[in-house]
Amino acid sequence: MSQIECKDISVKYENQVVLEDISFSIEQGDYLCIVGENGSGKSTLVKTILGLENPKTGKIVFGENLNKNEIGYLPQQTQAQKDFPASVYEVVLSGCLNSRGFNPFYSAKDKKLANDMIKSLGIEGIKKKSFRELSGGQQQRVLLARALCATKKIIILDEPITGLDPTVTREMYNLIKEINKKGITIIMVSHDINFAINNASKILHLKKNIKFFGNTEDYANSEVGRKFIGGAEID
Ligand SMILES: Nc1ncnc2c1ncn2[C@@H]1O[C@H](COP(=O)(O)OP(=O)(O)OP(=O)(O)O)[C@@H](O)[C@H]1O
Ligand SMILES: [Mg+2]
C-alpha cells in the first residue's frame, strides 16, 4: 500500500480551477520533487495533502502506517513567519504540537526530541536567540528541525532554499538528503530543476494538471522534462 495516494484531486478558488484531476501516489522512502512555474498549483497541492485546503473533488488516502498528524511541514516563507516573535527552542518545540491534539502542554519527551533535533541540525549555538533575529539560512534550519519534530515518516518542504546563498543551500540540501537516507519520505517543492534532476527519485511536474509523474531519469528523457530543463515554457 502506498504511503499517500492522491485520487482525482481538483481544487478551485472562487471561479479559478487551480488543480484538476491530480492522481499519483507516494511510496515510503521516496524523494519526490514537485516542479512547475509560478502559480502552477504546487503549494496548493501540498496544502491539500496536509488537509489545509479542501479539494472540490477526489480524496487523499493515507497508508495504514501514516496518520495525518505525522507529516512534518516546512511552509513556503512569508514575511509574517520570518518575524515570528519566539525563541529558536520554542519554534522547534512547537513542531511537537502536531501530535498533541488538544493538549497544549509539552511533555519531557517532546522537550528531549526538540533538543535532539536542535543538536542534530547544529543550531545549539542559537537555541536561545529570537527567531526573527536570525539569517534566512538559520531560520530555514530551525524550521527543518521543527518539521522533523513532527514526524519520523514523511516531511513536506515548500521551497526550503529560497533566498539562501550557495553554501547554505548546499548544506540544506545535504541535510535533506541525510534525512531521506534514514528512510523518511521527502516531498519537496523546488524551482531548482538541476538539483531535482540530480537528487530526487521521482518528479511531479504540475501545471494545473499533471504534465509528468514518474522516475527522475524518465523525466529527464521526456519531452516536457527536456523542455523545462532547457528553460522553455510548458503548454
Ligand atoms: N487562498 C487563495 N485564494 C485565491 N487564489 C489562490 C489562493 N491561493 C492560491 N491561489 C491561486 O492559485 C494558483 C496556484 O497558487 P499556488 O500558490 O499553489 O502556486 P505555486 O505553484 O505554489 O506558485 P509559486 O511557485 O509562486 O509558489 C495561483 O493562481 C494563485 O493565485
Ligand atoms: Mg508556492
Side-chain angles (χ1 to χ4, degrees), residues 133-200:
E133 286 162 17
L134 304 179
S135 75
Q138 288 172 325
Q139 287 192 336
Q140 289 305 80
R141 247 171 208 261
V142 172
L143 292 174
L144 186 57
R146 177 183 190 274
L148 284 170
C149 279
T151 190
K152 288 187 175 63
K153 297 177 183 171
I154 179 163
I155 187 164
I156 300 184
L157 310 145
D158 196 345
E159 298 193 29
I161 53 103
T162 306
L164 306 186
D165 73 38
T167 312
V168 179
T169 296
R170 215 172 310 118
E171 278 172 20
M172 262 312 264
Y173 281 154
N174 286 340
L175 282 171
I176 294 165
K177 212 180 231 173
E178 288 306 312
I179 292 164
N180 183 238
K181 274 193 195 145
K182 287 180 188 155
I184 296 179
T185 308
I186 309 285
I187 301 177
M188 180 163 87
V189 175
S190 178
H191 282 290
D192 187 344
I193 186 65
N194 289 316
F195 173 83
I197 293 293
N198 289 318
N199 292 277

Side-chain angles (χ1 to χ4, degrees), residues 11-14 16-19 34-47 53 76 158-159 189-191 206:
V11 177
K12 219 176 155 181
Y13 289 120
E14 285 125 40
Q16 185 197 7
V17 179
V18 174
L19 294 173
I34 303 179
V35 302
E37 57 210 47
N38 292 130
S40 55
K42 304 178 300 296
S43 295
T44 304
L45 176 61
V46 300
K47 284 186 209 157
E53 293 285 352
Q76 191 168 6
D158 196 345
E159 298 193 29
V189 175
S190 178
H191 282 290
L206 264 190

Side-chain angles (χ1 to χ4, degrees), residues 10-94:
S10 301
V11 177
K12 219 176 155 181
Y13 289 120
E14 285 125 40
N15 290 323
Q16 185 197 7
V17 179
V18 174
L19 294 173
E20 201 172 35
D21 297 332
I22 304 291
S23 295
F24 69 98
S25 50
I26 297 158
E27 312 302 323
Q28 197 196 325
D30 274 353
Y31 190 146
L32 173 73
C33 269
I34 303 179
V35 302
E37 57 210 47
N38 292 130
S40 55
K42 304 178 300 296
S43 295
T44 304
L45 176 61
V46 300
K47 284 186 209 157
T48 308
I49 293 173
L50 289 157
L52 303 172
E53 293 285 352
N54 281 325
K56 191 170 152 270
T57 64
K59 60 178 177 179
I60 312 276
V61 180
F62 292 103
E64 278 161 17
N65 292 322
L66 184 69
N67 215 312
K68 200 174 177 174
N69 65 10
E70 289 178 309
I71 303 178
Y73 177 42
L74 195 161
Q76 191 168 6
Q77 286 300 288
T78 62
Q79 199 50 47
Q81 286 157 342
K82 286 191 171 111
D83 286 337
F84 198 65
S87 73
V88 165
Y89 174 67
E90 286 166 327
V91 171
V92 175
L93 188 61
S94 71

Side-chain angles (χ1 to χ4, degrees), residues 92-152:
V92 175
L93 188 61
S94 71
C96 299
L97 276 178
N98 239 0
S99 57
R100 303 213 59 75
F102 291 108
N103 181 353
F105 299 104
Y106 296 111
S107 66
K109 207 170 130 208
D110 293 336
K111 291 174 187 167
K112 182 175 182 312
L113 180 63
N115 278 316
D116 287 350
M117 289 306 164
I118 284 172
K119 218 178 271 173
S120 73
L121 292 199
I123 47 176
E124 278 165 303
I126 53 169
K127 187 178 152 183
K128 291 192 176 134
K129 273 205 166 175
S130 171
F131 181 75
R132 62 181 164 201
E133 286 162 17
L134 304 179
S135 75
Q138 288 172 325
Q139 287 192 336
Q140 289 305 80
R141 247 171 208 261
V142 172
L143 292 174
L144 186 57
R146 177 183 190 274
L148 284 170
C149 279
T151 190
K152 288 187 175 63

